[in-house]
Amino acid sequence: MLDKDIIWEIIRQSIERRRIDGSTQWQNGYPNEQTIENDISKNFGFVLTVNGEIAVYVALIFNDEPAYSTIDGAWLTTGEFAVIHRVAVSEKFAGKGMVKKLFDVIEDFVKSQNVQSIKVDTNYDNLAMLKILDHKGYTYCGEVFLAGGIRKAFEKVLI
């Protein structure tokens, strides 16, 4: 069973890290503890561990992101997809390449499920995530409206 309290603390650390970095993402009460409880109850919540310790949290959702049905731009594909949401790294593991490793694990898992692509969005000012998406080969597709704001939307075709 996932430890919701540890995950929530990691989310809180990430909210604070974004604030310190000057990002407006996650500064309006989302995500909150209920968001994480919902992820876990719907089996969307996953963790990457290092020596049994939670290093990264992510919500991985298949074929279900209503906000993605409307995009100012165009997705690369129209088939099945996975969505990456709420990536948060424990302060202890920040800056150690854990999110790149997470994306590798997710991409392998999504391919193993014969799902065509991964879609993800982020804030314009989340420079760390924008850099990771570029490094991992995600294509900028346009803008979506999510969580009260305009987000940059990306997709990577896997199969």
Side-chain angles (χ1 to χ4, degrees), residues 10-43:
I10 290 169
I11 294 281
R12 287 172 23 126
Q13 291 170 2
S14 294
I15 290 169
E16 180 63 9
R17 197 174 312 116
R18 286 198 176 89
R19 186 190 68 76
I20 289 168
D21 288 346
S23 175
T24 59
Q25 190 170 356
W26 290 10
Q27 302 303 306
N28 63 354
Y30 165 89
N32 55 45
E33 210 163 350
Q34 187 62 52
T35 310
I36 305 313
E37 287 176 11
N38 289 342
D39 285 349
I40 294 168
S41 71
K42 293 177 180 176
N43 295 317

Side-chain angles (χ1 to χ4, degrees), residues 78-99:
T78 56
E80 289 191 31
F81 62 95
V83 178
I84 295 173
H85 276 322
R86 296 180 280 288
V87 175
V89 182
S90 165
E91 203 59 49
K92 180 176 178 180
F93 296 98
K96 294 185 163 57
M98 298 307 297
V99 175

Side-chain angles (χ1 to χ4, degrees), residues 4 34 38 58 63 82 120 123 135-136 140 143-144 159:
K4 182 189 69 78
Q34 187 62 52
N38 289 342
V58 64
N63 299 313
V120 62
N123 229 47
H135 176 79
K136 298 304 295 173
Y140 175 70
E143 297 176 337
V144 293
I159 53 177

Side-chain angles (χ1 to χ4, degrees), residues 3-152:
D3 190 327
K4 182 189 69 78
D5 294 333
I6 292 171
I7 292 167
W8 176 237
E9 180 54 33
I10 290 169
I11 294 281
R12 287 172 23 126
Q13 291 170 2
S14 294
I15 290 169
E16 180 63 9
R17 197 174 312 116
R18 286 198 176 89
R19 186 190 68 76
I20 289 168
D21 288 346
S23 175
T24 59
Q25 190 170 356
W26 290 10
Q27 302 303 306
N28 63 354
Y30 165 89
N32 55 45
E33 210 163 350
Q34 187 62 52
T35 310
I36 305 313
E37 287 176 11
N38 289 342
D39 285 349
I40 294 168
S41 71
K42 293 177 180 176
N43 295 317
F44 295 159
F46 293 89
V47 295
L48 186 64
T49 61
V50 175
N51 298 323
E53 190 173 353
I54 297 173
V56 187
Y57 174 78
V58 64
L60 184 64
I61 305 163
F62 284 87
N63 299 313
D64 186 22
E65 178 45 78
Y68 287 4
S69 63
T70 305
I71 182 170
D72 183 5
W75 293 112
L76 301 176
T77 67
T78 56
E80 289 191 31
F81 62 95
V83 178
I84 295 173
H85 276 322
R86 296 180 280 288
V87 175
V89 182
S90 165
E91 203 59 49
K92 180 176 178 180
F93 296 98
K96 294 185 163 57
M98 298 307 297
V99 175
K100 288 178 185 170
K101 185 173 189 161
L102 172 77
F103 272 69
D104 290 342
V105 170
I106 290 172
E107 289 172 15
D108 287 345
F109 177 68
V110 170
K111 273 192 255 186
S112 79
Q113 302 301 301
N114 292 313
V115 172
Q116 187 177 20
S117 74
I118 297 175
K119 297 177 181 180
V120 62
D121 67 87
T122 194
N123 229 47
Y124 282 89
D125 59 9
N126 187 338
L127 300 180
M129 183 56 77
L130 290 168
K131 194 175 187 180
I132 287 166
L133 293 171
D134 180 57
H135 176 79
K136 298 304 295 173
Y138 283 71
T139 301
Y140 175 70
C141 295
E143 297 176 337
V144 293
F145 187 79
L146 189 78
I150 300 290
R151 302 293 180 89
K152 292 182 90 162

